[in-house]
Amino acid sequence: MAKNHLFGILIPLLFSCNLFTNQGDTNKDILLLDDAESRYKQVQQVRYDLKLQIGEEENFTGKVKIYFNLNHLNSPLRFDFHRGKIDSIYINGEEKSVEYKEGFFTISSNLLKLENNIVEITYSHPYSHSGNGLHQFKDPEDGETYLYSQFESFHANQMFPCFDQPDLKATYKLEVLAPSKWKVISSTLASSILPKEKSLSLHSFPESKKFSTYIFSLHAGPYAEWNDTSYKIPLRLFSRKSNSKYIDSKFWFQITKQGFVFFENYFGIEYPFQKYDQLIVPEFNFGAMENVAAVTFTERLLSRGTVTRRAKEKIANVILHEMAHMWFGNLVTMKWWDGLWLNESFATYMAAKAQYEATEFKEAWETFYTGMKAWAYSSDRSSTTHPIQAEINDTEEAFVNFDGITYGKGASVLKQLEYFVGDKNFQTGVSAYLKKYSYSNAKLSDFLFSIEESSKKDLARWSKEWLEKEGTNTLSYQQNCKSNQLQSIVLHQGNGPTSNILRSHRTKLAFINFKESKPEIYKIVEAEYRGSVTKLEFQNSENISCPDFVFLNYGDYDFVRSEIQKEFLKESNLNTLKLILSDYGDLLQSLMLWRNLFEEVKDGNLKLKDYNTLAMEELPKDPRDLILESNLGHITSGNYISYHSFLYFKHIPERDKLLSDLENFIWANMANSKSNSDRKRFWFQNYISVGSSKEFHTRSANILENRELVSGLTIDQDLRWSLLKKICSFHYDDKLTKKLLNNELKKDKSKFGADNALACEAAHPDPVTKSKWMSILVAPSKEYSASTLRTIMYTIFPIHQKNLQIPFVEFFYNNIENNKIGGDENYLETYSEMMAPQFCTEENKHILKKFLSHSKKIPATVRKNLELNLEAEEDCVLVRKSDI
C-alpha cells in the first residue's frame, strides 16, 4: 500500500459534497439521570412478582405484579419497558389503558395511592439476538435452544416492565413455565418444579433478597450441569451440551472455592446469597456478568484444544472478578452510574489480590500491569479520557464509560490508595463500608469516609486529585553525584498530554549499578512527591553510590508515566537498557521497562526500527513467557503500530523480502521452542499473523490436509481455523482454499465453525465479496446474530487488504452520519471501532477530523471510537515520520 495510491483516492472523499449530510435521530431508549432522581424520590419498597412462559418460539409472554409505595402523588410515574407488546394493565385492581412509547409508559398519579400500589401488566416480548435483554440462541450443532439474560446497564426492561435503575432495589419472586427438558436458573434456588401439560414444567422460585434490577437474571435451556457439594453452599456450573467437552469443571470449582475463602476472610462478611451458579454462554457481549448468584461468562474464555497457562489464568481472574462483585456491587450497590467505576475498579483490583493470595497464579500483579494498567495508561493519554468519578447524565453515557478508566485506572488508583493508607487500614475500611451499606446503595463519599475512619487520613485532597481529575502525570529524574556518592535525586513531575494538575504521589525508586555487565539493585527508596519538582537529598553518612540507572515507580504502586532519559534512547546507548532487559530476575520490572520503551516509540523518541532490532534480539532469549506474550505483538501484529504492519508501506520487492525474513524468523523460533509448550504455540500463532508468502500458503494447506506435521505442536481446532482464515485472505489458489474450507466445515459443525467459515468468506480478497458483507454489517438481520457479525468485522480487512477498504470509506461515514447502522449500543460500539478506516496517513487524519467537526449528533460511543481512531492515526503518522 503506497502513500501516493491512497492520496489519490482519499482526498476527493474529503471534499465530497455528500460525505457530510443531515443528522438522523439517535436512539431514545435511555433513562436520564434527572428522571431517575425524580423517580427515586417518588417510589419506595418495590417488589416484583413475575410469571413467564418461555420456549423455542420467537416471543415470550409474561405477567408481572409490581408492588410499591409512593412518597408523593405530585407527578405521573414512569415504568420502563423496551419495545414489547402490552396486552393489559391493571392498576390497583382496575383495568386501565396507558400511552406506551416503545421504551416506557407512564401512569397518572390520580390512579395511584401512597401505600400498597399493585400494577399488574400482561405482555409479550421478542427474544433478543443482540446479547442484551433475554437472549435466545439455537445451537447449529444439535439444534437445541438456550436462553440467558443480560441486563446491565438498562436492559432488564427488555424482559419485564420495571423501575430499571440501580437505586430502586427490590425483591423478586419468579415462576417460569418452560419445556420439561430445560433447566431454569435464576437468583435463588427453585422451591419446586412441577410437571404441566404439553411437556412443560413450572419452576417456582421464592422471593429473593433485595437488589437492583440490572443484576436480576433468568437463564434456561437443556444446559449441561456440574455440581460441587464440598462447599457450604451449592455450587453449580452450566454450559450448553455441545460445549461440555471443553469445560474443566474441577478447575472452575477449585478457583471458585479458593475465591470464597479469600473474600469471606478479607471482607469479614459471609457470602450474602443462597447458592452460586456459573453459566458459560454463547454470543455474550462481555467477558462476564455478576448477576446475583447466577454469573454468566462468555464462551470466548474456552479453548477448543490446548489450554495454555495464560488462558487458565484469564478464567481464574474473571471468576474472581465476578465473585468480588457479590459483595462490592451486589450487596452494596452504587446509587447511580457515576459510581460504576467503584464497582468495576474494586472487582478488578480484588480479583488480582485474590488471584495472587489464594491461587496458583502468583504472576497476578504482572498480568494486572500488562492488562488492566496498560489499558488504563492508553485510555488516559487520549482526549476521550474522563475523571474516574465521571459525570453520567443518562444510561447511554453509562455504557460509554465501560472503559479503561473505569476498570484499569480505577483499579490502579485503588492499589495506590492501599499503599498510601496501609493495607490493614484499607481492609478495615472496606469491611466497615460493606457492613454499613449492605442491601442498600452508597456513594463515593460513603466509601472514602470508611477509609478515612480506619486510616485517620483526610482523603479529600486525594479524591480531588485522583478521582475528580483526568489525565496521567509524567515522571523523570536528574541525579547529582559527587565523588561517586549520590547527593540528591530531583524528581520532575509533568502534566502529560491530558492532565492539567500535578498530583501528590507515593512511590518507590530502585537504584541500579552494573557489576560485570550485570544489573544489580543495591538500594530501594520510598518517596513522596508533589508539584513540579521534588528534591530527595541523601546524606554522605548513608554512603549511597551514584546509580548507573534509576528505576522509577519500582513495584508499580504509583500511577504515572515513567519517562526514560533521552540519553538511554540513543542507538549508541541502548546497550544500558539491553543489559537491564537481559537480567531475568524481576519480571515486573522487565515488563514495565519494555512497555516504557514502546511508549517512547509512540511519542517519536525511539525509532520503531531500533525497538524492533532490540526486541528481535532480546525476546527470543528471554525464558519468561509473559515477556514474550506481552511484547511480540509490537513486531508481528496486523494492527498499527507494529513492525509487520509498517512493512506494507514499503515497495515491492523490498517489502516481500522483509515479510519473508520476518516469517522465517518467527518460524525458526517456533521450531526451536520446547515441544508441547505454551511458548511454541504462541510463536506459531504469531507465524500465522505474519504469514503471507506462497511458502506459508503451501505449508498451511499441507498442515490442514495432514500432509505435514508441526513437530512438538498439536494443531487443534482453534489453530486450524486461524490458519484457514489467513489462507482465505489471499488469492494464491482459490480452488484449494474452497476445498479446505468445505472439508473444515464437515469436521466442525459447531457455532464456532460456522462463524469462522463466514469469516473466511468475508476475508476473501474480492471487491464483490467485500461489498456483500459491508451491506450486511450495516443492516444486520435475524439470519446473523450480532456475535457472528463481530467475527466478520475482525477479519474483513486485514492489513494486506487495505486497498480493498478504500472504496468503502465514504460508505462508512455516510452510514455513521445518518445513523443507518442497525443493532444496539454494543453492536454500534464494535462497528465504529472495527470498521473505521485506518490507513496511517495524513489524508485519513484530515478526513476523520473533518467528519468529527461536522458531525454533532452521532451517538456518544461512536464519537468516542472515532476520536480514538483519529488519535491512533496521529500516533501512527508520527511514528512513520520519526522512523525514516
Side-chain angles (χ1 to χ4, degrees), residues 556-733:
D556 192 35
Y557 295 100
D558 200 357
F559 188 85
V560 68
R561 163 74 190 283
S562 301
E563 296 181 333
I564 298 175
Q565 289 179 297
K566 298 296 185 289
E567 64 183 88
F568 292 117
L569 297 175
K570 296 176 183 177
E571 188 174 358
S572 58
N573 291 339
L574 279 174
N575 191 57
T576 298
L577 302 178
K578 187 186 300 185
L579 288 173
I580 298 174
L581 292 171
S582 62
D583 178 65
Y584 306 140
D586 191 322
L587 177 59
L588 181 57
Q589 174 186 289
S590 298
L591 290 166
M592 293 172 71
L593 184 54
W594 273 113
R595 187 185 185 281
N596 289 342
L597 275 169
F598 196 71
E599 287 300 300
E600 299 292 350
V601 172
K602 290 165 68 176
D603 286 347
N605 298 323
L606 177 64
K607 291 184 177 181
L608 179 61
K609 61 183 179 182
D610 291 337
Y611 174 90
N612 183 68
T613 299
L614 177 66
M616 291 179 76
E617 181 179 345
E618 293 300 322
L619 291 179
K621 295 188 297 186
D622 196 316
R624 299 166 297 181
D625 288 352
L626 190 55
I627 296 291
L628 182 71
E629 293 164 5
S630 302
N631 296 286
L632 188 59
H634 297 321
I635 299 174
T636 63
S637 171
N639 300 318
Y640 302 119
I641 303 164
S642 77
Y643 173 73
H644 171 222
S645 297
F646 272 37
L647 292 181
Y648 284 91
F649 291 118
K650 298 186 179 295
H651 292 281
I652 298 172
E654 181 188 15
R655 180 185 68 188
D656 289 347
K657 181 186 182 306
L658 291 173
L659 284 169
S660 178
D661 289 345
L662 178 59
E663 193 177 296
N664 292 333
F665 168 79
I666 301 297
W667 178 264
N669 280 285
M670 185 281 299
N672 290 332
S673 297
K674 182 181 177 181
S675 292
N676 302 312
S677 63
D678 293 354
R679 193 178 186 88
K680 193 177 194 73
R681 181 185 173 86
F682 185 73
W683 278 111
F684 188 79
Q685 289 170 322
N686 281 268
Y687 173 69
I688 297 172
S689 179
V690 302
S692 62
S693 67
K694 187 69 168 66
E695 290 74 19
F696 167 81
H697 185 277
T698 301
R699 173 180 281 154
S700 299
N702 286 339
I703 291 171
L704 289 171
E705 293 192 308
N706 299 317
R707 294 199 304 265
E708 182 175 337
L709 299 177
V710 181
S711 179
L713 181 67
T714 300
I715 307 299
D716 56 39
Q717 193 62 66
D718 290 344
L719 290 179
R720 291 182 67 84
W721 278 115
S722 295
L723 278 171
L724 191 47
K725 283 185 289 188
K726 193 60 181 287
I727 291 174
C728 289
S729 69
F730 292 101
H731 253 318
Y732 285 124
D733 188 336

Side-chain angles (χ1 to χ4, degrees), residues 381-384 497-498 599 601-604 640-641 646 649 837-850 852 865-883:
R381 78 190 293 267
S382 167
S383 64
T384 66
T498 57
E599 287 300 300
V601 172
K602 290 165 68 176
D603 286 347
Y640 302 119
I641 303 164
F646 272 37
F649 291 118
Q838 248 195 351
F839 300 111
C840 196
T841 63
E842 291 284 357
E843 300 78 48
N844 198 42
K845 276 172 52 181
H846 292 315
I847 290 176
L848 262 171
K849 282 183 179 178
K850 191 170 181 69
L852 287 168
N865 278 337
L866 293 183
E867 289 174 352
L868 289 169
N869 194 58
L870 173 59
E871 291 172 1
E873 286 287 284
E874 291 171 338
D875 286 346
C876 195
V877 169
L878 175 64
V879 174
R880 281 188 69 189
K881 288 179 178 178
S882 64
D883 216 42

Side-chain angles (χ1 to χ4, degrees), residues 495-509:
N495 280 329
T498 57
S499 177
N500 58 12
I501 67 165
L502 300 176
R503 297 172 175 83
S504 303
H505 300 252
R506 189 178 182 209
T507 191
K508 290 183 179 181
L509 312 176

Side-chain angles (χ1 to χ4, degrees), residues 793-813:
M793 291 183 215
Y794 295 142
T795 58
I796 191 170
F797 290 120
I799 187 64
H800 54 282
Q801 291 184 10
K802 287 296 181 179
N803 61 314
L804 293 174
Q805 189 175 8
I806 294 169
F808 297 99
V809 171
E810 185 172 2
F811 178 82
F812 171 83
Y813 286 117

